[in-house]
Amino acid sequence: MARKASLSGFPELLPEERLVENHVLDTLRETFELHGFSNIETRSVETKEQLLRKGEIDKEVYGISRLLDENSTTKSEKEQLALHFDLTVPFARYVVENAGYLNFPFMRYQMQKVWRGERPQDGRFREFTQADVDVVGDGALPFRYDVELALVVIESLRKLEIGDFKLRVNNRKLSEGFYRGIGLDDTAGVLRSIDKLEKIGSDAVAQLLKDELGASDEQAQAALNLAQICTEDTSFVDEVKKLGVEHALLEEGLRELEEVVGQAAKRAPGNIVADLSIARGLDYYTGTVYETVLVGHEKLGSICSGGRYESLASNGKRNFPGVGLSIGVTRLVSRIISQKMAEPTRKVPSAVLIALTSDQTWSDAQDVADSLRQRGIACEVSATAAKFGKQIKFAEKRGIPFVWFVSTKEDGSLKHEVKDIRSGEQIEADPQHWAPSTEDLHVRIEAAQ
């Protein structure tokens, strides 16, 4: 993915790179389903009005129209169409429109491409794949799902064997209650400033708080003191209380964050961090917020983020609160590939290449292929009867471990032999019974040692 692309921001993978991406998607799918999440897919197109309802992101949206539609620019936002820039907004619409057919709490996962018109750079693309996992309730949603989401994401990333990572967790109630407790009522503004902490530093954030929100030196310092608290266990509770701020919303947020971190630290020690600098810029988050970084690759940014939202989905009569996380699959895969964090054991699915001794044996070779495929063994048949050495080199180049030879005995019967071209061992084999080892049967993605 480091190759120069003909169209910037729209990555195209080589076959062996696609194997890595499929491994990531398959692992996520398997883990999500083990936790009881059902798969859905939403349309790629939404109305512009629907997409822009939850924030000022119009510069990132790709509008679409029919090439011969002369009236496309004069249509209202209700009629104008655009490609979705994430999977959360389409999911909210999906829940509202299908509420009568869904069982709540509704647990869904979704893996699709999304499009954003932003400047391409390391880890950022204009077309990319996301994997979202959410739970949505009807009217209310038990807080325990906030814990469940943390656990399912940690389990998913652990299975990928991509090295150390940290799921950084905070709670918007905790932060907002603290800000109100020190006299800063524009909590959304404070959160937006704190969200810039890693990019611009504490001094610049303090100046923003004073210039834009009218904070005093003491208030700005208190907000920064809260943001600097970071622990891998529930000791953050005492650290917050030492700051001497009291507010009912702060206490509620502390209790919720303590449960998430306590349970996750118990089941996945070392991967969960209570980081009170995490704010998440989107306004619809109302409680738990998550961000995930790869240790040693922090400049890549978050590979997985999300949070609790109380009113993202609503039809006016019914409210559908939820909690969810989104994994940036393309961002993650791009780093796995560029840093060789994991590689496929071969470039193609085939475990066996069936060689041709002559063009007349092509039909016999196809019979062998049929037998192997019926038993789940991926294979391919040589197209020409080139010299055996050339056919073996062809298999080596593709990473195919076995070459099958079909020859005719003196009595007219067929002789079958299979060669492991890595060791050079060649044995007689029966197409109806021979099978490679479990390790060689399928392409495996091996983590770097």
Side-chain angles (χ1 to χ4, degrees):
M1 297 182 75
R3 300 182 310 278
K4 184 177 180 180
S6 58
L7 193 57
S8 179
F10 295 86
E12 293 180 328
L13 302 181
L14 294 173
E16 57 267 33
E17 296 171 339
R18 178 65 172 156
L19 287 170
V20 174
E21 183 177 55
N22 280 338
H23 167 70
V24 171
L25 293 172
D26 290 344
T27 301
L28 296 178
R29 182 183 297 110
E30 176 187 358
T31 309
F32 294 161
E33 291 185 358
L34 283 173
H35 283 256
F37 289 84
S38 300
N39 182 235
I40 68 165
E41 185 171 293
T42 57
R43 65 197 186 209
S44 299
V45 173
E46 300 288 341
T47 64
K48 185 178 178 182
E49 178 191 45
Q50 181 73 30
L51 286 175
L52 304 186
R53 185 173 294 172
K54 289 293 179 180
E56 298 177 359
I57 39 81
D58 55 299
K59 292 182 180 179
E60 295 185 357
V61 172
Y62 279 110
I64 65 171
S65 62
R66 290 179 295 157
L67 291 177
L68 300 180
D69 188 352
E70 297 178 355
N71 299 317
S72 61
T73 58
T74 61
K75 291 180 179 179
S76 68
E77 286 193 353
K78 289 184 178 180
E79 299 174 300
Q80 292 178 22
L81 301 179
L83 294 170
H84 57 220
F85 61 86
D86 74 356
L87 300 179
T88 304
V89 175
F91 176 54
R93 173 195 54 76
Y94 177 94
V95 169
V96 170
E97 292 181 356
N98 295 282
Y101 304 96
L102 301 175
N103 294 314
F104 293 95
F106 175 48
M107 302 169 64
R108 89 72 161 93
Y109 76 92
Q110 187 173 350
M111 299 189 292
Q112 286 182 240
K113 286 187 179 295
V114 298
W115 295 265
R116 292 182 190 173
E118 56 188 14
R119 182 173 67 87
Q121 51 188 300
D122 184 26
R124 290 187 177 273
F125 305 90
R126 291 173 172 170
E127 178 182 67
F128 54 98
T129 299
Q130 286 188 183
D132 281 22
V133 56
D134 289 76
V135 184
V136 173
D138 185 358
L141 183 70
F143 174 75
R144 291 288 169 76
Y145 285 110
D146 291 44
V147 182
E148 177 73 16
L149 263 294
L151 296 177
V152 70
V153 166
I154 289 174
E155 183 179 332
S156 299
L157 296 178
R158 279 186 161 187
K159 286 182 177 179
L160 291 175
E161 298 182 328
I162 52 176
D164 196 14
F165 63 90
K166 300 293 183 183
L167 177 61
R168 303 158 69 192
V169 191
N170 194 9
N171 191 293
R172 292 280 278 260
K173 296 176 185 176
L174 187 163
S175 300
E176 292 182 19
F178 185 91
Y179 303 148
R180 293 184 188 279
I182 61 175
L184 294 176
D185 292 329
D186 184 0
T187 58
V190 181
L191 284 167
R192 283 193 292 270
S193 297
I194 294 296
D195 198 37
K196 300 174 183 177
L197 190 58
E198 290 187 353
K199 293 182 180 179
I200 65 176
S202 57
D203 291 343
V205 168
Q207 199 60 48
L208 277 177
L209 292 172
K210 290 185 283 188
D211 293 345
E212 297 184 1
L213 301 173
S216 66
D217 289 338
E218 292 75 15
Q219 289 172 323
Q221 187 57 53
L224 288 172
N225 288 341
L226 180 73
Q228 289 165 359
I229 295 174
C230 184
T231 70
E232 292 191 358
D233 53 27
T234 58
S235 60
F236 71 89
V237 176
D238 289 335
E239 293 192 32
V240 172
K241 290 182 176 180
K242 287 178 183 178
L243 297 178
V245 177
E246 295 184 358
H247 193 280
L249 193 60
L250 167 61
E251 294 300 322
E252 184 179 351
L254 270 176
R255 288 194 301 271
E256 291 184 352
L257 186 58
E258 182 178 22
E259 184 169 356
V260 173
V261 174
Q263 289 297 323
K266 178 181 178 181
R267 289 166 173 76
N271 290 129
I272 189 79
V273 176
D275 187 337
L276 305 196
S277 70
I278 301 300
R280 302 293 300 144
L282 296 174
D283 291 340
Y284 54 68
Y285 292 120
T286 57
T288 308
V289 285
Y290 316 84
E291 283 193 1
T292 312
V293 293
L294 287 176
V295 175
H297 304 270
E298 287 82 2
K299 290 185 178 180
L300 180 66
S302 178
I303 59 168
C304 174
S305 58
R308 161 75 71 143
Y309 43 86
E310 294 300 335
S311 58
L312 182 68
S314 176
N315 61 7
K317 297 179 181 179
R318 297 166 67 184
N319 188 56
F320 303 97
V323 59
L325 280 147
S326 177
I327 298 174
V329 173
T330 304
R331 173 177 290 190
L332 180 58
V333 169
S334 70
R335 185 51 57 103
I336 292 173
I337 292 171
S338 66
Q339 301 298 311
K340 298 187 183 300
M341 298 165 68
E343 295 182 293
T345 52
R346 55 181 182 261
K347 295 181 179 181
V348 295
S350 303
V352 182
L353 172 70
I354 303 166
L356 295 184
T357 54
S358 68
D359 287 330
Q360 287 69 40
T361 61
W362 186 83
S363 181
D364 294 327
Q366 287 292 343
D367 291 339
V368 175
D370 288 344
S371 178
L372 295 177
R373 289 168 185 156
Q374 286 172 10
R375 294 185 290 113
I377 303 170
C379 60
E380 53 190 270
V381 178
S382 289
T384 60
K387 291 181 179 180
F388 282 161
K390 191 172 183 179
Q391 294 185 69
I392 290 172
K393 284 184 178 179
F394 176 79
E396 286 178 336
K397 194 173 183 179
R398 294 162 70 81
I400 300 173
F402 297 99
V403 177
W404 193 287
F405 301 100
V406 184
S407 57
T408 304
K409 298 178 182 179
E410 291 183 0
D411 61 4
S413 63
L414 295 178
K415 179 180 180 180
H416 297 276
E417 294 179 291
V418 63
K419 180 174 185 174
D420 184 334
I421 62 175
R422 298 162 300 183
S423 65
E425 180 185 11
Q426 184 167 325
I427 60 172
E428 287 197 33
D430 181 352
Q432 302 296 325
H433 299 97
W434 178 88
S437 68
T438 302
E439 287 191 348
D440 290 327
L441 182 59
H442 301 293
V443 179
R444 291 173 290 108
I445 307 299
E446 295 184 340
Q449 299 299 318

